[in-house]
Amino acid sequence: MKMEKIENAEIHVDNRKLACSVYRGTEGERAIDIRKLRKETGLITYDPGFVNTGSCASKVTFIDGEKGILRYRGYDVADLAEKCEFVEVAYLLIHGSLPNAEQKAHYSRLLNEHSMIHEDMKEFFSHYPEHSHPMAILSAMVVSLSSFYPELNDGDKEDLAMTVTRMISKLRTIAAFSYKKSIGEPAVYPRHDLRYCENFLNMMFSSPVRKEPIDPVMTEALNKLLIIHADHEQNCSASVVRSVGSAGANLYASISAGICALWGPLHGGANQHVIEMLEEIYQEDGDVDKLIERAKNPRSPFRLMGFGHRVYKSYDPRAKIAKELCKKVIAATNKNDPLLDIALELEEKALADPYFQERNLYPNVDFYTGLTYRELGIPTNMFTVMFAIGRLPGWIAQWLEMKKDPDSRISRPRQIYTGPNARRVVPINERK
Ligand code: CMC
């Protein structure tokens, strides 16, 4: 299925007329093709943050932000979270269809076979300072993989399917190793007899002297959390992955850049900041109203973390799943997390507040996921790493699609220059 041309449009400027095509995607969204704009009129578009700019046509993920719909390759995210394991969704995003039982078994076997990282890479972890952020380590380790598997740098020859499988498997191992380093414990190696999520939890929480039982409720929760993060079309990090890849950079370098973009607090880094915000309310006086007022103050840069979204103008469907999951996991542990009560109160009050209503600000995926990660025993500074593990198949799918797209060109936006006009360099001894 391709974009369908549905009508012609004209842009009138400087007494000139530019004929443009209007295209429609398979879910009805329309776009005006302005590729000839600069060549024929000398004008460029001005669209900070690319709010109105379609950078590509994609078959991977569909979002309807008004209706709160998210689908991967046509499947609703809630349906996938209900019926699939994360590895099936990873396969779906990368290969375009869900695996059958045989394909899944083969894929899981491959993931297990490639789960180790080169022994020398383990050394890297020990040279990071004690309080290094795991996202910094993750990004550096991923780009380092290109040195340890150099044959994969050669775009023509590389077996992409193998690179991709390696990366999905190894990212999880790197993440768990970086956690072990941060708590001063030896790394626990991946095991071939465990499935993807169990394997991760085992590497995180067992030790050479202690085998930690893996609770199926936790494994299921992790599967669902990774699924709801698996792709989100042309978000900041996916656009970065595509942009870096568009320059011809290898997959490892592109994903490493995507990890850095995800780290930002306005993007995936928000999940860490949500918990820190909830903890701050709890430790102070539990006053949710004060925080809401701070978020509404136009003179304060503070924003309610885990709220708002560029695309969703109604409830983020991922937040719905995360909220239910969080309640389920907390109930299963028979614990009462006071931060959940604060989050529920904060959500209720913000949704009733005209400031948030007028701006269509709803909880996003990051609002409730951190609370669930806490129950899984994952430390706060690892939350964004968890997001990255989930998002990896999406980044890869976007990168592969960009590579195959005949319309793809090196990403290179234009600008409107507003600096000084031409001037001459004054010799240094004459400068004021
Ligand atoms: N708290 C308070 N006000 C907000 C918030 C918030 N969380 N989000 C947006 N606004 C206000 C913003 O100040 C602006 O108000 P005004 O029109 O008076 O200037 C209006 O809402 C529109 O905001 P915007 O900044 O133009 O929206 P954006 O599309 O550029 O930004 C966002 C989207 C997600 C960066 C933003 O909502 C935000 O900073 N949220 C908090 C951080 C967060 O939770 N990020 C995770 C996003 S979901 C995970 C992912 O996929 O990345």
Side-chain angles (χ1 to χ4, degrees):
M1 279 174 286
K2 282 179 138 186
M3 289 192 300
E4 175 199 7
K5 181 175 168 179
I6 51 166
E7 57 184 299
N8 292 315
E10 284 177 355
I11 295 176
H12 294 256
V13 65
D14 296 339
N15 294 323
R16 295 181 60 181
K17 190 170 74 181
L18 173 70
C20 303
S21 301
V22 176
Y23 288 101
R24 185 169 57 195
T26 48
E27 289 289 345
E29 66 288 356
R30 294 178 308 147
I32 181 160
D33 181 349
I34 50 125
R35 277 179 288 184
K36 294 195 194 119
L37 181 68
R38 186 173 179 280
K39 197 168 171 197
E40 298 202 3
T41 68
L43 290 173
I44 59 166
T45 56
Y46 179 58
D47 188 21
F50 310 126
V51 179
N52 306 286
T53 299
S55 59
C56 60
S58 178
K59 293 183 171 61
V60 183
T61 289
F62 171 70
I63 301 176
D64 183 327
E66 269 68 37
K67 295 192 186 131
I69 292 173
L70 168 62
R71 297 187 202 126
Y72 306 151
R73 305 274 188 195
Y75 297 101
D76 190 82
V77 68
D79 202 16
L80 290 167
E82 190 57 40
K83 299 178 187 148
C84 295
E85 283 182 31
F86 174 64
V87 293
E88 293 168 66
V89 174
Y91 186 100
L92 167 72
L93 285 165
I94 292 162
H95 297 277
S97 57
L98 281 166
N100 61 28
E102 198 184 316
Q103 287 164 329
K104 183 183 169 189
H106 176 69
Y107 193 51
S108 299
R109 205 165 44 247
L110 277 183
L111 287 171
N112 270 337
E113 277 168 16
H114 295 282
S115 55
M116 289 283 288
I117 54 171
H118 195 290
E119 234 358 60
D120 289 348
M121 278 188 81
K122 257 180 69 195
E123 287 295 307
F124 293 4
F125 292 95
S126 53
H127 297 290
Y128 274 92
E130 199 183 335
H131 297 296
S132 302
H133 198 287
M135 284 297 275
I137 301 179
L138 193 72
S139 164
M141 290 290 172
V142 167
V143 79
S144 303
L145 286 171
S146 62
S147 308
F148 282 85
Y149 302 92
E151 75 276 15
L152 302 172
N153 278 326
D154 186 340
D156 289 337
K157 291 191 204 127
E158 72 181 1
D159 180 352
L160 266 178
M162 194 54 75
T163 312
V164 162
T165 313
R166 275 196 175 117
M167 205 176 234
I168 291 180
S169 192
K170 291 185 197 314
L171 194 78
R172 169 195 57 172
T173 308
I174 292 169
F177 279 18
S178 72
Y179 170 63
K180 285 297 194 191
K181 151 73 190 160
S182 74
I183 57 166
E185 281 192 9
V188 173
Y189 288 107
R191 278 173 34 193
H192 281 195
D193 59 323
L194 295 178
R195 301 166 98 88
Y196 190 88
C197 287
E198 287 170 329
N199 222 334
F200 177 72
L201 293 173
N202 184 59
M203 283 191 274
M204 288 284 288
F205 303 121
S206 285
S207 84
V209 293
R210 187 192 67 246
K211 200 171 154 197
E212 200 64 39
I214 302 156
D215 182 342
V217 176
M218 300 301 160
T219 311
E220 191 199 326
L222 181 58
N223 256 307
K224 288 192 194 321
L225 284 169
L226 297 183
I227 289 172
I228 63 174
H229 286 98
D231 194 47
H232 216 232
E233 49 117 308
Q234 308 314 316
N235 57 84
C236 179
S237 55
S239 302
V240 164
V241 169
R242 278 184 178 256
S243 260
V244 174
S246 77
N250 68 51
L251 183 61
Y252 295 120
S254 307
I255 299 294
S256 173
I259 291 171
C260 292
L262 185 75
W263 191 5
L266 298 187
H267 193 6
N271 59 12
Q272 172 175 344
H273 291 268
V274 169
I275 288 295
E276 287 167 356
M277 179 182 79
L278 296 175
E279 271 167 350
E280 193 186 309
I281 303 175
Y282 180 64
Q283 276 154 19
E284 285 183 358
D285 44 13
D287 191 349
V288 161
D289 300 302
K290 219 160 61 188
L291 197 91
I292 292 182
E293 288 312 310
R294 214 170 118 208
K296 285 160 54 178
N297 183 350
R299 287 180 303 281
S300 160
F302 174 75
R303 287 184 164 198
L304 203 55
M305 298 313 283
F307 256 76
H309 199 274
R310 168 64 59 79
V311 181
Y312 294 120
K313 299 303 165 201
S314 65
Y315 214 100
D316 180 339
R318 305 167 300 171
K320 245 184 231 165
I321 298 171
K323 184 177 176 181
E324 289 318 306
L325 191 60
C326 169
K327 287 182 180 169
K328 190 174 164 187
V329 169
I330 289 178
T333 56
N334 279 325
K335 279 192 272 169
N336 182 21
D337 188 342
L339 296 196
L340 174 62
D341 298 331
I342 294 176
L344 290 169
E345 188 188 342
L346 190 56
E347 178 190 348
E348 195 185 323
K349 289 194 164 157
L351 291 182
D353 191 302
Y355 173 95
F356 291 87
Q357 288 173 348
E358 281 155 20
R359 291 167 179 77
N360 296 314
L361 301 171
Y362 292 83
N364 60 49
V365 67
D366 294 318
F367 195 68
Y368 285 105
T369 49
L371 289 165
T372 318
Y373 291 136
R374 264 159 66 95
E375 295 308 316
L376 298 182
I378 291 164
T380 310
N381 70 354
M382 284 283 289
F383 290 179
T384 316
V385 170
M386 302 308 297
F387 194 147
I389 297 174
R391 182 55 57 87
L392 182 60
W395 285 331
I396 293 172
Q398 299 286 345
W399 190 91
L400 292 172
E401 189 176 67
M402 180 272 303
K403 283 281 174 196
K404 282 194 216 131
D405 184 351
D407 285 340
S408 176
R409 301 173 71 183
I410 185 167
S411 288
R412 205 315 185 176
R414 296 267 179 176
Q415 63 164 16
I416 300 171
Y417 176 69
T418 56
N421 295 116
R423 47 185 173 165
R424 288 192 181 280
V425 175
V426 177
I428 192 156
N429 53 357
E430 293 172 27
R431 286 179 221 156
K432 287 188 196 132

